[in-house]
Amino acid sequence: MILVGLTGGIGSGKSTVSELLALKGAVIVDDEAIVREGQEPGRPVLAAIAERFGAGVLTADGALDRAGLAGLVFNDAGALKDLNNIVHPAVRAEMRRQVDEHRHSDRVVVMDVPLMVEGGRRRYNVGGVVVVDVPVDVAVDRLVRYRAMEEADARARIGRQVTREERLAAADRVVDNSGDRESLKAQVDELWEWILTLPPAPDEDPAPEPEAATKSA
């Protein structure tokens, strides 16, 4: 198994790169999908969130009110820390389980993690880190146009993540997603060839490091 980390700021188009890698045959371990699944009704993580933040973070049918929860935590460092302490250990355990399913195979496994730089590269034990990058103004424009965010909200969310410079400094490879689809596909073709040159992951994952503070849930 070759293990690669994929990350990028909000609005970078990281999910599109992940989809293109999946078409190449990569197994995608998607941090955000695991978070969503863990927060479905009946799951222990959702029960713990409701216990900490109150039933007001649930909709009438018992689902998580994501916007309501975000409003509670994004300007409250203590609340954000509590949320991370609930969510992150469960997500990390599930990600590790999914990776271990392929550890003794010849597959390429991509860990798609928005906060990989914030959490520290060593925590994920990947053979390489790929950063999907766009200028901040491009990311803001996409968030406004495609996610119907207000510009101020988009810039605030970007500001809560590590800086573009910090993310680029952590990269082994950078995918520039500020152009068109054809440019992106060509870069992913080159990226795939590079990934196949990486050494296999170790037979066992090291013990996880303590959870680090992050700027976003």
Side-chain angles (χ1 to χ4, degrees):
M1 175 190 75
I2 294 174
L3 186 60
V4 181
L6 177 67
T7 192
I10 185 171
S12 67
K14 175 181 59 62
S15 295
T16 302
V17 174
S18 185
E19 291 166 5
L20 291 172
L21 288 170
L23 290 174
K24 295 283 190 184
V27 174
I28 308 299
V29 178
D30 187 337
D31 172 281
E32 291 181 313
I34 292 170
V35 169
R36 289 193 297 271
E37 290 166 5
Q39 294 173 350
E40 291 176 352
R43 297 294 184 94
V45 168
L46 182 58
I49 290 172
E51 181 178 356
R52 164 60 181 84
F53 296 99
V57 299
L58 302 179
T59 63
D61 59 359
L64 180 65
D65 178 357
R66 298 182 188 281
L69 179 61
L72 289 176
V73 305
F74 278 131
N75 292 311
D76 184 331
L80 178 58
K81 181 178 180 180
D82 289 346
L83 178 62
N84 286 340
N85 287 341
I86 294 169
V87 173
H88 287 182
V91 171
R92 283 274 295 144
E94 177 59 17
M95 292 187 77
R96 186 171 184 176
R97 185 194 69 77
Q98 291 187 22
V99 168
D100 283 345
E101 285 185 348
H102 304 281
R103 188 168 295 278
H104 300 290
S105 75
D106 60 357
R107 304 297 298 273
V108 171
V109 178
V110 176
M111 298 183 74
D112 183 336
V113 184
L115 301 181
M116 179 165 284
V117 175
E118 288 89 333
R121 170 183 177 147
R122 288 183 57 199
R123 174 176 300 167
Y124 300 95
N125 201 39
V126 293
V129 172
V130 178
V131 169
V132 183
D133 179 61
V134 295
V136 171
D137 286 345
V138 172
V140 170
D141 179 65
R142 290 176 177 172
L143 293 170
V144 171
R145 284 197 292 158
Y146 301 126
R147 299 200 198 178
M149 288 187 186
E150 297 292 332
E151 181 177 344
D153 183 32
R155 291 190 181 278
R157 288 174 182 261
I158 291 171
R160 293 186 187 105
Q161 298 182 332
V162 297
T163 66
R164 183 185 181 195
E165 291 74 19
E166 289 173 299
R167 196 177 289 111
L168 290 172
D172 295 305
R173 291 284 285 209
V174 176
V175 174
D176 176 3
N177 193 21
S178 58
D180 59 20
R181 177 86 173 188
E182 289 308 308
S183 171
L184 182 63
K185 288 176 67 176
Q187 290 182 77
V188 172
D189 288 344
E190 294 178 1
L191 174 65
W192 184 251
E193 294 303 316
W194 173 76
I195 287 172
L196 295 179
T197 69
L198 295 175
D203 288 339
E204 293 185 3
D205 211 15
E209 297 177 359
E211 293 292 330
T214 58
K215 295 185 179 181
S216 179

